[in-house]
Amino acid sequence: MAEEDSREIETEETSESGQNNERNITASEMEREITEMKKNWEKTSEYIKQMEKVEEEMDYEFKKIMAEMESIQKAIKKLDRDQENKKERFKILKEKVGEAKELKEKACNTIQKLQKNPSSVKEAEVKEILDETKLFQRDWRQQWDEYYMKIACLAALRSKDPRTPVGVCIADTESYQIVGIGYNSMPCVKGRSNNDKIFPWKGLSENASKEEKNNKDKNTELKYPFAVHAAVNAITNRTRDKLDGCTIYVTLKPDEDCARAIQQAGIKEVVYCIYKRTQERETRNTGMMTAEAFLKSNNIELKNLGESASDKFTGNEVVKGLQSRIHEPQPNDDEPYKNALTWEDFFMEIAKLSRERPGLFDTAGLRLRTGACIVSPSNQVMAVGYSGYPEDMELGEIIEYDKEYIAHAEYKAIIGGPSVRGCTLYVTSYPCNVCAKLIAQSGISEIVYGKPHIDPGAKKILKECLDGKSKIRPKAI
Protein backbone atom coordinates (compact mmCIF):
# COMPACT_ATOMS: atom_id res chain seq x y z
CA MET A 1 0.00 0.00 0.00
CA ALA A 2 2.81 2.35 0.93
CA GLU A 3 4.55 1.49 -2.33
CA GLU A 4 1.40 2.34 -4.34
CA ASP A 5 1.08 5.69 -2.53
CA SER A 6 4.73 6.40 -3.27
CA ARG A 7 4.28 5.63 -6.99
CA GLU A 8 1.19 7.87 -7.13
CA ILE A 9 3.10 10.75 -5.55
CA GLU A 10 5.98 10.27 -8.03
CA THR A 11 3.53 10.20 -10.94
CA GLU A 12 1.88 13.39 -9.73
CA GLU A 13 5.26 15.11 -9.30
CA THR A 14 6.37 13.98 -12.76
CA SER A 15 3.12 15.22 -14.26
CA GLU A 16 3.42 18.59 -12.54
CA SER A 17 7.06 18.89 -13.63
CA GLY A 18 6.09 18.14 -17.24
CA GLN A 19 3.34 20.75 -17.14
CA ASN A 20 5.79 23.30 -15.74
CA ASN A 21 8.27 22.50 -18.51
CA GLU A 22 5.53 22.89 -21.09
CA ARG A 23 4.61 26.25 -19.59
CA ASN A 24 8.28 27.31 -19.58
CA ILE A 25 8.78 26.25 -23.20
CA THR A 26 5.63 28.03 -24.28
CA ALA A 27 6.65 31.25 -22.51
CA SER A 28 10.13 31.08 -24.02
CA GLU A 29 8.74 30.51 -27.49
CA MET A 30 6.28 33.34 -27.06
CA GLU A 31 9.07 35.67 -25.98
CA ARG A 32 11.08 34.73 -29.05
CA GLU A 33 8.06 35.24 -31.29
CA ILE A 34 7.35 38.66 -29.78
CA THR A 35 10.99 39.68 -30.25
CA GLU A 36 10.89 38.46 -33.85
CA MET A 37 7.62 40.30 -34.48
CA LYS A 38 9.13 43.50 -33.11
CA LYS A 39 12.13 43.14 -35.39
CA ASN A 40 9.92 42.48 -38.40
CA TRP A 41 7.72 45.43 -37.56
CA GLU A 42 10.72 47.74 -37.14
CA LYS A 43 12.07 46.51 -40.47
CA THR A 44 8.72 46.99 -42.17
CA SER A 45 8.37 50.47 -40.67
CA GLU A 46 11.82 51.37 -41.94
CA TYR A 47 10.96 50.10 -45.44
CA ILE A 48 7.74 52.11 -45.42
CA LYS A 49 9.64 55.25 -44.38
CA GLN A 50 12.17 54.70 -47.15
CA MET A 51 9.47 54.21 -49.76
CA GLU A 52 7.53 57.24 -48.54
CA LYS A 53 10.70 59.29 -48.88
CA VAL A 54 11.20 58.02 -52.45
CA GLU A 55 7.57 58.85 -53.23
CA GLU A 56 7.97 62.35 -51.80
CA GLU A 57 11.26 62.98 -53.60
CA MET A 58 9.92 61.79 -56.94
CA ASP A 59 6.85 63.97 -56.54
CA TYR A 60 9.16 66.92 -55.92
CA GLU A 61 11.36 65.99 -58.89
CA PHE A 62 8.30 65.64 -61.13
CA LYS A 63 7.03 69.12 -60.25
CA LYS A 64 10.49 70.57 -60.56
CA ILE A 65 11.09 69.14 -64.02
CA MET A 66 7.62 70.17 -65.18
CA ALA A 67 8.38 73.73 -64.06
CA GLU A 68 11.56 73.85 -66.11
CA MET A 69 9.82 72.33 -69.13
CA GLU A 70 7.20 75.05 -68.91
CA SER A 71 9.93 77.68 -68.67
CA ILE A 72 11.68 76.25 -71.75
CA GLN A 73 8.45 76.19 -73.74
CA LYS A 74 7.89 79.86 -72.94
CA ALA A 75 11.44 80.71 -74.01
CA ILE A 76 11.03 78.81 -77.31
CA LYS A 77 7.79 80.66 -78.04
CA LYS A 78 9.62 83.95 -77.56
CA LEU A 79 12.07 82.93 -80.32
CA ASP A 80 14.91 82.58 -77.87
CA ARG A 81 18.34 82.65 -79.52
CA ASP A 82 19.30 79.41 -77.78
CA GLN A 83 16.34 77.48 -79.17
CA GLU A 84 18.15 74.32 -80.28
CA ASN A 85 19.81 73.75 -76.91
CA LYS A 86 16.51 74.36 -75.15
CA LYS A 87 14.69 71.87 -77.39
CA GLU A 88 17.35 69.26 -76.65
CA ARG A 89 17.03 69.96 -72.94
CA PHE A 90 13.25 69.62 -73.24
CA LYS A 91 13.63 66.10 -74.68
CA ILE A 92 15.90 65.05 -71.82
CA LEU A 93 13.46 66.43 -69.26
CA LYS A 94 10.56 64.60 -70.88
CA GLU A 95 12.37 61.31 -70.32
CA LYS A 96 13.17 62.29 -66.73
CA VAL A 97 9.50 63.00 -66.05
CA GLY A 98 8.63 59.45 -67.10
CA GLU A 99 11.36 58.01 -64.88
CA ALA A 100 10.18 60.06 -61.89
CA LYS A 101 6.57 58.91 -62.34
CA GLU A 102 7.62 55.28 -62.64
CA LEU A 103 9.76 55.42 -59.49
CA LYS A 104 6.97 57.12 -57.58
CA GLU A 105 4.51 54.39 -58.62
CA LYS A 106 6.97 51.66 -57.61
CA ALA A 107 7.39 53.22 -54.18
CA CYS A 108 3.63 53.63 -53.76
CA ASN A 109 2.95 49.99 -54.72
CA THR A 110 5.65 48.76 -52.34
CA ILE A 111 4.12 50.73 -49.46
CA GLN A 112 0.72 49.13 -50.13
CA LYS A 113 2.27 45.65 -50.19
CA LEU A 114 4.14 46.31 -46.95
CA GLN A 115 0.96 47.47 -45.23
CA LYS A 116 -1.04 44.43 -46.38
CA ASN A 117 1.57 41.68 -46.08
CA PRO A 118 5.07 42.72 -44.96
CA SER A 119 6.57 39.29 -45.68
CA SER A 120 5.66 39.64 -49.37
CA VAL A 121 8.29 42.35 -49.84
CA LYS A 122 11.90 41.25 -49.94
CA GLU A 123 14.83 43.39 -48.92
CA ALA A 124 16.22 43.16 -52.46
CA GLU A 125 13.10 44.86 -53.86
CA VAL A 126 13.47 47.81 -51.51
CA LYS A 127 17.19 48.07 -52.26
CA GLU A 128 16.51 48.06 -56.00
CA ILE A 129 14.12 51.02 -55.71
CA LEU A 130 16.56 52.94 -53.50
CA ASP A 131 19.40 52.28 -55.97
CA GLU A 132 17.24 53.48 -58.86
CA THR A 133 16.42 56.64 -56.90
CA LYS A 134 20.11 57.32 -56.29
CA LEU A 135 20.84 56.78 -59.97
CA PHE A 136 18.02 59.14 -60.95
CA GLN A 137 19.39 61.86 -58.68
CA ARG A 138 23.04 61.27 -59.58
CA ASP A 139 23.09 63.80 -62.43
CA TRP A 140 21.66 66.45 -60.13
CA ARG A 141 24.22 65.68 -57.42
CA GLN A 142 27.01 65.56 -60.00
CA GLN A 143 26.19 69.11 -61.11
CA TRP A 144 26.42 70.41 -57.55
CA ASP A 145 29.64 68.49 -56.92
CA GLU A 146 31.19 70.12 -59.96
CA TYR A 147 29.97 73.57 -58.94
CA TYR A 148 31.50 73.30 -55.47
CA MET A 149 34.71 71.87 -56.94
CA LYS A 150 34.97 74.89 -59.26
CA ILE A 151 34.90 77.10 -56.17
CA ALA A 152 37.67 74.93 -54.67
CA CYS A 153 39.70 75.28 -57.89
CA LEU A 154 39.24 79.03 -57.74
CA ALA A 155 40.48 79.03 -54.14
CA ALA A 156 43.57 77.09 -55.25
CA LEU A 157 44.40 79.89 -57.68
CA ARG A 158 44.61 82.20 -54.67
CA SER A 159 47.38 80.04 -53.14
CA LYS A 160 50.96 81.30 -53.24
CA ASP A 161 52.41 77.78 -53.25
CA PRO A 162 54.70 77.78 -56.30
CA ARG A 163 54.40 74.06 -56.91
CA THR A 164 51.22 72.55 -55.44
CA PRO A 165 48.32 74.99 -55.08
CA VAL A 166 45.36 73.37 -53.30
CA GLY A 167 41.87 74.74 -52.78
CA VAL A 168 38.92 73.70 -50.63
CA CYS A 169 35.21 74.44 -50.52
CA ILE A 170 33.02 73.16 -47.67
CA ALA A 171 29.31 72.94 -48.43
CA ASP A 172 26.15 72.03 -46.60
CA THR A 173 24.63 69.94 -49.38
CA GLU A 174 21.24 69.91 -47.65
CA SER A 175 20.80 73.69 -47.65
CA TYR A 176 23.08 74.33 -50.66
CA GLN A 177 25.18 76.77 -48.64
CA ILE A 178 28.93 77.26 -48.87
CA VAL A 179 30.20 77.39 -45.30
CA GLY A 180 33.96 77.45 -45.75
CA ILE A 181 36.59 78.25 -48.38
CA GLY A 182 40.35 77.86 -48.03
CA TYR A 183 43.66 77.25 -49.77
CA ASN A 184 47.13 76.18 -48.68
CA SER A 185 49.02 79.13 -47.26
CA MET A 186 51.43 80.22 -44.57
CA PRO A 187 50.26 81.01 -41.01
CA CYS A 188 48.68 84.42 -40.48
CA VAL A 189 51.07 86.87 -38.87
CA LYS A 190 49.29 89.48 -36.79
CA GLY A 191 49.81 92.97 -38.12
CA ARG A 192 51.71 91.73 -41.17
CA SER A 193 50.26 91.45 -44.66
CA ASN A 194 53.31 89.78 -46.21
CA ASN A 195 53.28 86.50 -44.30
CA ASP A 196 53.86 84.67 -47.60
CA LYS A 197 57.37 86.15 -47.64
CA ILE A 198 58.25 85.43 -44.02
CA PHE A 199 58.26 81.63 -44.33
CA PRO A 200 60.06 79.53 -46.97
CA TRP A 201 58.13 78.07 -49.92
CA LYS A 202 60.79 75.66 -51.08
CA GLY A 203 59.70 72.03 -51.42
CA LEU A 204 61.54 68.75 -51.79
CA SER A 205 63.39 68.17 -55.01
CA GLU A 206 62.28 65.38 -57.34
CA ASN A 207 65.46 63.45 -56.47
CA ALA A 208 65.10 63.77 -52.70
CA SER A 209 66.33 60.79 -50.70
CA LYS A 210 64.12 58.67 -48.50
CA GLU A 211 65.70 60.19 -45.41
CA GLU A 212 64.99 63.73 -46.66
CA LYS A 213 61.37 62.79 -47.31
CA ASN A 214 60.99 61.27 -43.86
CA ASN A 215 62.44 64.35 -42.17
CA LYS A 216 60.84 67.03 -44.35
CA ASP A 217 58.50 68.21 -41.57
CA LYS A 218 61.52 69.01 -39.38
CA ASN A 219 63.50 70.89 -42.00
CA THR A 220 62.91 74.60 -41.34
CA GLU A 221 64.43 75.52 -44.69
CA LEU A 222 61.47 73.88 -46.42
CA LYS A 223 57.77 74.82 -46.47
CA TYR A 224 56.44 71.66 -44.81
CA PRO A 225 56.79 72.63 -41.12
CA PHE A 226 55.01 75.94 -41.76
CA ALA A 227 52.40 75.45 -44.49
CA VAL A 228 48.74 75.48 -43.41
CA HIS A 229 46.82 72.96 -45.47
CA ALA A 230 43.79 74.05 -47.46
CA ALA A 231 41.33 71.87 -45.54
CA VAL A 232 42.58 73.15 -42.18
CA ASN A 233 42.38 76.71 -43.50
CA ALA A 234 38.78 76.26 -44.65
CA ILE A 235 37.68 74.55 -41.44
CA THR A 236 39.19 77.22 -39.19
CA ASN A 237 37.64 79.96 -41.35
CA ARG A 238 34.16 78.40 -41.44
CA THR A 239 31.10 80.63 -41.20
CA ARG A 240 29.15 78.45 -38.77
CA ASP A 241 29.92 76.86 -35.42
CA LYS A 242 29.56 73.26 -36.55
CA LEU A 243 30.22 71.46 -39.82
CA ASP A 244 28.43 68.23 -38.89
CA GLY A 245 27.15 66.46 -41.98
CA CYS A 246 28.85 68.80 -44.45
CA THR A 247 30.84 67.79 -47.54
CA ILE A 248 34.36 69.04 -48.22
CA TYR A 249 35.56 69.53 -51.80
CA VAL A 250 39.33 69.57 -52.22
CA THR A 251 41.46 69.77 -55.36
CA LEU A 252 43.92 67.18 -54.06
CA LYS A 253 43.36 64.02 -52.07
CA PRO A 254 43.74 64.80 -48.33
CA ASP A 255 46.76 63.70 -46.32
CA GLU A 256 46.89 62.78 -42.61
CA ASP A 257 46.89 66.38 -41.36
CA CYS A 258 43.77 67.24 -43.34
CA ALA A 259 42.10 63.91 -42.52
CA ARG A 260 42.38 64.55 -38.77
CA ALA A 261 40.85 68.01 -39.13
CA ILE A 262 38.05 66.68 -41.37
CA GLN A 263 37.15 63.95 -38.88
CA GLN A 264 37.21 66.31 -35.91
CA ALA A 265 35.00 68.82 -37.73
CA GLY A 266 32.25 66.22 -38.22
CA ILE A 267 32.39 66.34 -42.02
CA LYS A 268 30.62 63.33 -43.56
CA GLU A 269 32.06 63.23 -47.07
CA VAL A 270 35.24 64.13 -48.94
CA VAL A 271 35.10 64.82 -52.68
CA TYR A 272 38.50 65.29 -54.30
CA CYS A 273 39.86 65.75 -57.78
CA ILE A 274 43.32 64.59 -58.84
CA TYR A 275 45.08 66.08 -61.83
CA LYS A 276 47.44 64.13 -64.08
CA ARG A 277 50.62 65.52 -62.55
CA THR A 278 49.62 64.37 -59.07
CA GLN A 279 47.91 61.09 -59.95
CA GLU A 280 51.11 59.06 -60.06
CA ARG A 281 52.36 60.75 -56.90
CA GLU A 282 49.22 59.73 -55.04
CA THR A 283 49.85 56.02 -55.57
CA ARG A 284 53.18 56.25 -53.76
CA ASN A 285 52.21 58.86 -51.17
CA THR A 286 51.93 56.98 -47.88
CA GLY A 287 50.39 60.04 -46.20
CA MET A 288 47.45 59.99 -48.61
CA MET A 289 47.05 56.24 -48.25
CA THR A 290 47.06 56.51 -44.45
CA ALA A 291 44.55 59.37 -44.64
CA GLU A 292 42.24 57.32 -46.85
CA ALA A 293 42.28 54.40 -44.42
CA PHE A 294 41.69 56.78 -41.50
CA LEU A 295 38.71 58.47 -43.18
CA LYS A 296 37.09 55.17 -44.16
CA SER A 297 37.54 53.77 -40.66
CA ASN A 298 35.61 56.80 -39.38
CA ASN A 299 32.76 56.23 -41.87
CA ILE A 300 33.66 59.29 -43.93
CA GLU A 301 32.88 58.78 -47.60
CA LEU A 302 35.66 59.44 -50.10
CA LYS A 303 34.85 60.19 -53.73
CA ASN A 304 37.10 61.01 -56.68
CA LEU A 305 35.23 63.50 -58.85
CA GLY A 306 37.94 63.26 -61.50
CA GLU A 307 36.65 59.83 -62.50
CA SER A 308 33.22 61.15 -63.49
CA ALA A 309 33.77 64.84 -64.27
CA SER A 310 31.80 66.17 -67.23
CA ASP A 311 33.26 68.01 -70.22
CA LYS A 312 31.58 71.15 -68.95
CA PHE A 313 33.61 70.90 -65.75
CA THR A 314 36.97 70.07 -67.33
CA GLY A 315 36.43 72.78 -69.95
CA ASN A 316 35.70 75.48 -67.37
CA GLU A 317 38.17 78.38 -67.47
CA VAL A 318 38.87 78.23 -63.73
CA VAL A 319 39.54 74.49 -63.82
CA LYS A 320 41.73 74.82 -66.90
CA GLY A 321 43.60 77.67 -65.22
CA LEU A 322 44.43 75.48 -62.23
CA GLN A 323 45.46 72.56 -64.43
CA SER A 324 47.75 74.85 -66.40
CA ARG A 325 49.35 76.15 -63.22
CA ILE A 326 49.91 72.63 -61.88
CA HIS A 327 51.40 71.34 -65.13
CA GLU A 328 53.64 74.36 -65.56
CA PRO A 329 54.81 75.35 -62.08
CA GLN A 330 56.83 78.47 -61.41
CA PRO A 331 60.52 77.78 -62.23
CA ASN A 332 61.77 79.27 -58.97
CA ASP A 333 59.96 77.43 -56.19
CA ASP A 334 61.86 79.25 -53.44
CA GLU A 335 59.50 82.22 -53.69
CA PRO A 336 55.72 82.57 -53.41
CA TYR A 337 53.79 82.28 -56.66
CA LYS A 338 53.76 85.68 -58.32
CA ASN A 339 50.53 85.53 -60.33
CA ALA A 340 48.10 84.30 -57.68
CA LEU A 341 44.65 85.87 -57.77
CA THR A 342 44.29 89.15 -55.90
CA TRP A 343 41.69 89.28 -53.15
CA GLU A 344 39.36 91.45 -55.20
CA ASP A 345 39.60 89.25 -58.30
CA PHE A 346 39.10 86.18 -56.14
CA PHE A 347 35.89 87.46 -54.57
CA MET A 348 34.41 88.73 -57.83
CA GLU A 349 35.25 85.41 -59.50
CA ILE A 350 33.35 83.60 -56.74
CA ALA A 351 30.36 85.84 -57.49
CA LYS A 352 30.70 85.07 -61.20
CA LEU A 353 30.99 81.33 -60.60
CA SER A 354 27.89 81.37 -58.41
CA ARG A 355 25.88 82.32 -61.49
CA GLU A 356 26.73 78.90 -62.91
CA ARG A 357 25.25 77.01 -60.00
CA PRO A 358 23.24 73.99 -61.13
CA GLY A 359 19.55 73.48 -60.84
CA LEU A 360 16.59 72.40 -62.87
CA PHE A 361 15.18 75.78 -61.90
CA ASP A 362 17.37 77.64 -64.28
CA THR A 363 16.80 81.37 -64.37
CA ALA A 364 16.04 81.15 -68.07
CA GLY A 365 13.22 83.63 -67.73
CA LEU A 366 15.39 86.27 -66.09
CA ARG A 367 16.84 89.17 -68.04
CA LEU A 368 20.08 88.90 -66.11
CA ARG A 369 21.66 86.14 -64.07
CA THR A 370 23.39 87.44 -60.97
CA GLY A 371 25.90 86.14 -58.45
CA ALA A 372 27.00 87.60 -55.12
CA CYS A 373 29.78 87.06 -52.60
CA ILE A 374 29.93 88.72 -49.17
CA VAL A 375 33.33 89.14 -47.53
CA SER A 376 34.33 90.15 -44.00
CA PRO A 377 36.95 92.83 -43.24
CA SER A 378 39.42 89.99 -42.61
CA ASN A 379 38.81 88.59 -46.13
CA GLN A 380 36.67 85.69 -44.95
CA VAL A 381 33.94 84.62 -47.38
CA MET A 382 30.78 84.92 -45.29
CA ALA A 383 28.11 84.00 -47.84
CA VAL A 384 27.56 83.26 -51.52
CA GLY A 385 24.29 83.82 -53.37
CA TYR A 386 22.75 83.49 -56.82
CA SER A 387 19.51 84.55 -58.43
CA GLY A 388 16.94 81.79 -58.70
CA TYR A 389 14.21 79.88 -56.94
CA PRO A 390 14.56 78.87 -53.29
CA GLU A 391 15.83 75.29 -53.35
CA ASP A 392 13.27 73.71 -51.03
CA MET A 393 10.14 75.63 -51.95
CA GLU A 394 6.79 74.02 -52.68
CA LEU A 395 6.20 73.97 -56.41
CA GLY A 396 2.43 73.82 -56.72
CA GLU A 397 1.91 77.19 -58.41
CA ILE A 398 5.38 77.83 -59.71
CA ILE A 399 4.60 77.23 -63.37
CA GLU A 400 1.95 79.91 -63.48
CA TYR A 401 3.63 82.49 -61.26
CA ASP A 402 7.32 81.68 -61.67
CA LYS A 403 8.72 85.22 -61.43
CA GLU A 404 7.03 85.83 -58.10
CA TYR A 405 9.26 83.22 -56.46
CA ILE A 406 12.67 84.30 -57.73
CA ALA A 407 15.09 85.50 -55.06
CA HIS A 408 17.97 87.74 -56.10
CA ALA A 409 21.60 86.85 -55.44
CA GLU A 410 22.15 89.59 -52.84
CA TYR A 411 18.97 88.58 -51.05
CA LYS A 412 19.98 84.92 -50.85
CA ALA A 413 23.48 85.74 -49.62
CA ILE A 414 22.35 88.19 -46.92
CA ILE A 415 19.31 86.30 -45.64
CA GLY A 416 20.80 82.81 -45.82
CA GLY A 417 24.11 83.45 -44.06
CA PRO A 418 25.49 84.90 -40.82
CA SER A 419 25.52 88.60 -39.90
CA VAL A 420 27.21 90.67 -42.61
CA ARG A 421 27.51 94.01 -40.81
CA GLY A 422 30.70 95.77 -41.87
CA CYS A 423 31.26 93.38 -44.78
CA THR A 424 31.85 94.01 -48.48
CA LEU A 425 29.39 92.80 -51.12
CA TYR A 426 30.75 91.66 -54.49
CA VAL A 427 27.91 91.35 -56.98
CA THR A 428 27.96 90.80 -60.74
CA SER A 429 25.45 93.58 -61.45
CA TYR A 430 24.20 96.70 -59.69
CA PRO A 431 21.56 95.85 -57.05
CA CYS A 432 17.86 96.46 -57.67
CA ASN A 433 15.83 98.65 -55.31
CA VAL A 434 14.55 95.66 -53.27
CA CYS A 435 18.09 94.38 -52.71
CA ALA A 436 19.34 97.92 -52.06
CA LYS A 437 16.95 98.24 -49.11
CA LEU A 438 18.15 94.93 -47.71
CA ILE A 439 21.80 95.93 -48.20
CA ALA A 440 21.21 99.18 -46.32
CA GLN A 441 19.50 97.37 -43.44
CA SER A 442 22.11 94.61 -43.22
CA GLY A 443 24.96 97.01 -42.49
CA ILE A 444 27.13 96.15 -45.48
CA SER A 445 29.88 98.76 -45.67
CA GLU A 446 31.04 98.48 -49.27
CA ILE A 447 29.65 97.36 -52.62
CA VAL A 448 31.70 96.25 -55.62
CA TYR A 449 29.51 95.61 -58.66
CA GLY A 450 30.07 94.34 -62.19
CA LYS A 451 27.54 95.25 -64.87
CA PRO A 452 26.12 98.75 -64.38
CA HIS A 453 22.41 98.01 -64.87
CA ILE A 454 21.65 100.78 -62.42
CA ASP A 455 18.15 100.95 -60.98
CA PRO A 456 17.27 104.63 -60.22
CA GLY A 457 15.46 103.64 -57.03
CA ALA A 458 18.39 101.54 -55.86
CA LYS A 459 20.84 104.31 -56.63
CA LYS A 460 18.87 106.78 -54.52
CA ILE A 461 18.49 104.31 -51.63
CA LEU A 462 22.19 103.50 -51.52
CA LYS A 463 23.20 107.13 -51.88
CA GLU A 464 20.87 108.40 -49.15
CA CYS A 465 21.20 105.50 -46.72
CA LEU A 466 24.83 104.56 -47.10
CA ASP A 467 26.52 107.79 -48.12
CA GLY A 468 29.56 108.28 -45.93
CA LYS A 469 29.31 104.72 -44.61
CA SER A 470 29.72 102.74 -47.76
CA LYS A 471 31.80 102.81 -50.89
CA ILE A 472 30.06 101.81 -54.08
CA ARG A 473 32.36 101.16 -56.98
CA PRO A 474 32.33 99.25 -60.27
CA LYS A 475 34.68 96.47 -61.30
CA ALA A 476 34.99 95.15 -64.84
CA ILE A 477 34.03 91.49 -65.19
Side-chain angles (χ1 to χ4, degrees), residues 271-304:
V271 180
Y272 66 96
C273 196
I274 291 180
Y275 298 104
K276 290 178 182 177
R277 195 175 79 84
T278 57
Q279 205 155 14
E280 185 184 343
R281 186 186 299 174
E282 185 228 355
T283 58
R284 61 174 190 266
N285 189 317
T286 54
M288 286 182 177
M289 291 166 68
T290 304
E292 181 176 351
F294 174 78
L295 291 169
K296 286 181 178 177
S297 68
N298 282 281
N299 298 317
I300 297 170
E301 291 184 49
L302 202 64
K303 183 165 77 172
N304 182 2

Side-chain angles (χ1 to χ4, degrees), residues 23-143:
R23 278 199 295 271
N24 288 337
I25 290 167
T26 305
S28 176
E29 285 176 350
M30 282 178 67
E31 194 175 333
R32 278 201 301 272
E33 282 180 20
I34 290 167
T35 304
E36 193 65 31
M37 283 172 68
K38 279 182 180 178
K39 283 182 182 176
N40 289 336
W41 173 244
E42 285 171 5
K43 202 172 186 180
T44 302
S45 299
E46 183 60 31
Y47 286 164
I48 289 172
K49 281 180 186 175
Q50 288 174 341
M51 292 301 101
E52 283 175 344
K53 189 179 179 184
V54 170
E55 194 177 10
E56 185 183 334
E57 285 177 354
M58 288 305 107
D59 187 52
Y60 178 79
E61 295 285 357
F62 176 79
K63 289 176 181 176
K64 190 162 63 174
I65 297 168
M66 287 298 293
E68 189 183 352
M69 288 172 74
E70 183 72 15
S71 176
I72 289 171
Q73 282 182 321
K74 285 179 183 178
I76 291 171
K77 284 177 184 177
K78 291 177 183 177
L79 300 176
D80 191 281
R81 285 177 294 179
D82 198 24
Q83 270 198 60
E84 289 306 314
N85 287 338
K86 282 187 167 57
K87 285 178 181 177
E88 189 62 34
R89 176 71 175 156
F90 190 85
K91 285 180 186 176
I92 294 168
L93 292 173
K94 205 170 180 181
E95 291 176 9
K96 296 282 278 184
V97 163
E99 289 176 29
K101 283 177 74 176
E102 189 179 336
L103 269 171
K104 185 183 173 183
E105 285 172 11
K106 275 187 182 180
C108 186
N109 292 337
T110 306
I111 289 170
Q112 289 174 0
K113 285 166 71 177
L114 284 165
Q115 288 170 339
K116 288 179 182 177
N117 182 12
S119 60
S120 66
V121 178
K122 295 179 181 177
E123 189 175 349
E125 290 179 56
V126 176
K127 188 177 182 301
E128 185 183 347
I129 294 172
L130 293 175
D131 288 344
E132 285 180 28
T133 305
K134 281 183 183 177
L135 191 64
F136 179 91
Q137 294 174 325
R138 187 180 63 183
D139 292 342
W140 173 250
R141 172 64 198 272
Q142 177 79 4
Q143 290 176 52

Side-chain angles (χ1 to χ4, degrees), residues 93-234:
L93 292 173
K94 205 170 180 181
E95 291 176 9
K96 296 282 278 184
V97 163
E99 289 176 29
K101 283 177 74 176
E102 189 179 336
L103 269 171
K104 185 183 173 183
E105 285 172 11
K106 275 187 182 180
C108 186
N109 292 337
T110 306
I111 289 170
Q112 289 174 0
K113 285 166 71 177
L114 284 165
Q115 288 170 339
K116 288 179 182 177
N117 182 12
S119 60
S120 66
V121 178
K122 295 179 181 177
E123 189 175 349
E125 290 179 56
V126 176
K127 188 177 182 301
E128 185 183 347
I129 294 172
L130 293 175
D131 288 344
E132 285 180 28
T133 305
K134 281 183 183 177
L135 191 64
F136 179 91
Q137 294 174 325
R138 187 180 63 183
D139 292 342
W140 173 250
R141 172 64 198 272
Q142 177 79 4
Q143 290 176 52
W144 279 104
D145 282 348
E146 291 184 0
Y147 165 62
Y148 293 131
M149 189 60 79
K150 285 177 196 172
I151 299 287
C153 290
L154 185 63
L157 292 174
R158 171 71 197 146
S159 172
K160 297 288 182 69
D161 192 312
R163 191 187 291 180
T164 315
V166 182
V168 159
C169 173
I170 304 174
D172 182 340
T173 53
E174 294 294 323
S175 63
Y176 303 95
Q177 285 188 336
I178 292 172
V179 293
I181 294 176
Y183 53 88
N184 53 330
S185 65
M186 289 301 169
C188 294
V189 180
K190 193 173 182 181
R192 300 281 293 274
S193 59
N194 63 338
N195 61 314
D196 290 320
K197 294 180 181 178
I198 295 171
F199 301 100
W201 278 106
K202 188 177 181 181
L204 283 171
S205 66
E206 293 291 332
N207 302 318
S209 66
K210 188 176 180 180
E211 186 181 353
E212 286 175 320
K213 289 177 182 177
N214 291 337
N215 295 317
K216 67 177 184 178
D217 291 333
K218 297 175 184 177
N219 189 341
T220 56
E221 293 182 3
L222 300 178
K223 64 182 178 180
Y224 306 106
F226 310 108
V228 179
H229 290 207
V232 175
N233 206 338

Side-chain angles (χ1 to χ4, degrees), residues 191-414:
R192 300 281 293 274
S193 59
N194 63 338
N195 61 314
D196 290 320
K197 294 180 181 178
I198 295 171
F199 301 100
W201 278 106
K202 188 177 181 181
L204 283 171
S205 66
E206 293 291 332
N207 302 318
S209 66
K210 188 176 180 180
E211 186 181 353
E212 286 175 320
K213 289 177 182 177
N214 291 337
N215 295 317
K216 67 177 184 178
D217 291 333
K218 297 175 184 177
N219 189 341
T220 56
E221 293 182 3
L222 300 178
K223 64 182 178 180
Y224 306 106
F226 310 108
V228 179
H229 290 207
V232 175
N233 206 338
I235 290 168
T236 53
N237 283 288
R238 63 191 181 275
T239 58
R240 58 163 64 169
D241 290 336
K242 293 184 178 180
L243 298 175
D244 293 352
C246 288
T247 299
I248 188 167
Y249 296 82
V250 56
T251 59
L252 186 65
K253 196 172 185 179
D255 66 359
E256 303 128 298
D257 189 23
C258 295
R260 284 192 296 270
I262 288 166
Q263 190 271 337
Q264 285 293 304
I267 289 167
K268 68 169 184 180
E269 184 181 23
V270 177
V271 180
Y272 66 96
C273 196
I274 291 180
Y275 298 104
K276 290 178 182 177
R277 195 175 79 84
T278 57
Q279 205 155 14
E280 185 184 343
R281 186 186 299 174
E282 185 228 355
T283 58
R284 61 174 190 266
N285 189 317
T286 54
M288 286 182 177
M289 291 166 68
T290 304
E292 181 176 351
F294 174 78
L295 291 169
K296 286 181 178 177
S297 68
N298 282 281
N299 298 317
I300 297 170
E301 291 184 49
L302 202 64
K303 183 165 77 172
N304 182 2
L305 184 65
E307 294 174 348
S308 59
S310 68
D311 293 340
K312 190 175 179 181
F313 174 77
T314 54
N316 180 270
E317 289 302 315
V318 171
V319 178
K320 284 163 68 176
L322 180 57
Q323 286 177 327
S324 174
R325 185 173 155 183
I326 289 171
H327 293 314
E328 299 172 13
Q330 184 174 281
N332 183 8
D333 68 355
D334 293 351
E335 297 178 3
Y337 188 73
K338 294 176 181 177
N339 297 319
L341 280 177
T342 64
W343 281 119
E344 191 153 288
D345 287 341
F346 176 51
F347 299 137
M348 187 56 87
E349 284 296 324
I350 290 176
K352 283 169 65 179
L353 264 183
S354 69
R355 297 183 300 181
E356 298 179 19
R357 93 281 177 268
L360 292 174
F361 287 142
D362 200 356
T363 50
L366 288 178
R367 183 172 61 85
L368 187 67
R369 297 177 72 176
T370 310
C373 174
I374 300 177
V375 183
S376 74
S378 61
N379 292 324
Q380 180 186 16
V381 175
M382 302 300 291
V384 176
Y386 50 82
S387 55
Y389 296 104
E391 302 301 340
D392 298 320
M393 69 178 293
E394 291 296 325
L395 307 176
E397 302 296 325
I398 197 166
I399 295 173
E400 193 172 351
Y401 303 107
D402 55 352
K403 288 184 181 178
E404 299 296 325
Y405 294 101
I406 291 167
H408 290 193
E410 305 94 312
Y411 218 92
K412 276 194 168 188
I414 293 170

